[in-house]
Amino acid sequence: MAQDLTGEASNGLIGNATPGGVIVVKIGGGSDPEQVLDEVAELATSGRAPVLVHGGGPVADRLAEQLGVERRVICSPDGTQSRRTDQAMLDVITLALLGRVKPQLVGALRLRGARAVGLSGADGALLTATRKPALRSVQDGRTILIRDDRSGRIEHVDPTSVRAVLDRGDVPVVSPPASDTAGNLLNVDADEAAARLAEALGASALVLLTDVCGVLTDPDDPSTRIAEVGPHHLTGDVVRGRMRHKVRAGLRASRTVPQVAIGAAHLPRPIRQALSGTGTWLREGERGERHE
């Protein structure tokens, strides 16, 4: 029987600190990181292999306001919303993630006894992306094309730098931006980055932590949590807003990553809880909808 996060016998949620035992944990920029950092540090100091991927949207929004950069939103025809990333906003995002969020996470892990190394997707060609040539956005009932956006789609992952950090027993702390083949920075979705990195590392688990307990049919009612989500849930409006990004990314990763879950970041030991079934499992193969 495999060992659990604390080394006790369990049903095999987490393996040892080997390539097959890597667990990739993504925390959203709007979530309280304290419980997540506690558990990541616990994993690292007990010889496990956690990789922490982070966003930082709220921090970027505050910095944009301080710098006088307007925040604009792209509303895709399917209802998904994303930040419009012109060059000025890309500069803000880069400053926010690499200059504010990442140093705080690295420092907080050090205070907890875990050594951490900050990486961006552009470091060591970790994440190579291609710029999206044009984006459709619905504004005032009309669909327009946006051509100045500096966001990208991840095409290749080279996990060499992450593996080097793991081999030293340190915690990689990874975030956007990525870069294209010419070295130009591009903003990429942090959930997609976590999913693609989990695939490339041959991770045993991917946990996407956010401010709700999983995929909810009613975002204001935790009792409407769906225990397991498949591709069919992306049709209609069952999955809405930013959660669509998480579900898409997680479903893709579930093709090769054995355990993929969305859970709440604020719970005690949130990684363990998500992987024990308190969140939402994501599986590419549809197995029917189950509610708790």
Side-chain angles (χ1 to χ4, degrees):
M1 196 176 288
Q3 292 183 326
D4 72 359
L5 298 181
T6 59
E8 299 168 351
S10 76
N11 61 357
L13 294 181
I14 299 295
N16 292 321
T18 64
V22 172
I23 177 170
V24 176
V25 179
K26 190 268 178 176
I27 181 169
S31 301
D32 183 348
E34 296 303 310
Q35 299 287 353
V36 182
L37 292 168
D38 286 345
E39 193 171 11
V40 168
E42 178 187 343
L43 288 169
T45 55
S46 64
R48 306 300 177 178
V51 176
L52 183 62
V53 180
H54 70 87
V59 177
D61 290 344
R62 290 193 294 270
L63 182 58
E65 184 176 359
Q66 292 169 6
L67 298 176
V69 176
E70 181 184 3
R71 182 187 186 277
R72 294 178 289 176
V73 175
I74 294 174
C75 299
S76 301
D78 68 356
T80 303
Q81 293 189 350
S82 60
R83 179 181 285 99
R84 183 168 174 175
T85 312
D86 57 14
Q87 186 59 55
M89 183 56 72
L90 178 61
D91 290 343
V92 169
I93 292 170
T94 302
L95 288 169
L97 296 185
L98 307 190
R100 292 192 175 180
V101 180
K102 194 181 304 296
Q104 291 175 355
L105 295 176
V106 169
L109 286 170
R110 183 176 182 180
L111 286 174
R112 289 165 167 80
R115 298 188 306 269
V117 176
L119 297 168
S120 79
D123 295 326
L126 173 56
L127 302 176
T128 300
T130 57
R131 182 180 174 186
K132 299 174 183 178
L135 299 175
R136 288 181 171 84
S137 181
V138 179
Q139 297 182 7
D140 299 323
R142 298 185 304 113
T143 300
I144 64 172
L145 289 179
I146 297 173
R147 301 185 184 278
D148 66 346
D149 199 76
R150 303 293 301 180
S151 61
R153 181 175 292 105
I154 298 172
E155 301 290 350
H156 179 70
V157 180
D158 181 353
T160 303
S161 57
V162 173
R163 289 194 184 280
V165 174
L166 289 171
D167 288 345
R168 294 199 302 268
D170 297 346
V171 180
V173 180
V174 181
S175 74
S179 63
D180 63 17
T181 55
N184 301 302
L185 295 182
L186 295 171
N187 187 34
V188 293
D189 182 73
D191 291 304
E192 182 189 5
R196 294 295 300 272
L197 184 55
E199 294 175 67
L201 288 169
S204 62
L206 167 67
V207 181
L208 305 172
L209 295 173
T210 183
D211 56 355
V212 293
C213 61
V215 178
L216 309 177
T217 57
D218 179 350
D220 298 320
D221 184 356
S223 70
T224 65
R225 175 177 62 93
I226 304 175
E228 187 173 307
V229 161
H232 64 290
H233 288 96
L234 288 173
T235 61
D237 62 353
V238 174
V239 183
R240 298 184 290 274
R242 283 290 308 168
M243 188 61 74
R244 293 183 70 87
H245 291 286
K246 296 184 188 300
V247 169
R248 285 196 191 104
L251 287 175
R252 173 186 171 124
S254 73
R255 299 171 191 170
T256 58
V257 178
Q259 296 178 323
V260 180
I262 296 174
H266 63 273
L267 299 176
R269 289 191 169 178
I271 301 167
R272 176 198 294 271
Q273 292 221 39
L275 292 175
S276 66
T278 65
T280 294
W281 291 108
L282 300 177
R283 305 187 197 275
E284 178 72 22
E286 299 182 23
R287 304 183 188 181
E289 179 176 312
R290 294 187 293 128
H291 290 267
E292 290 299 309

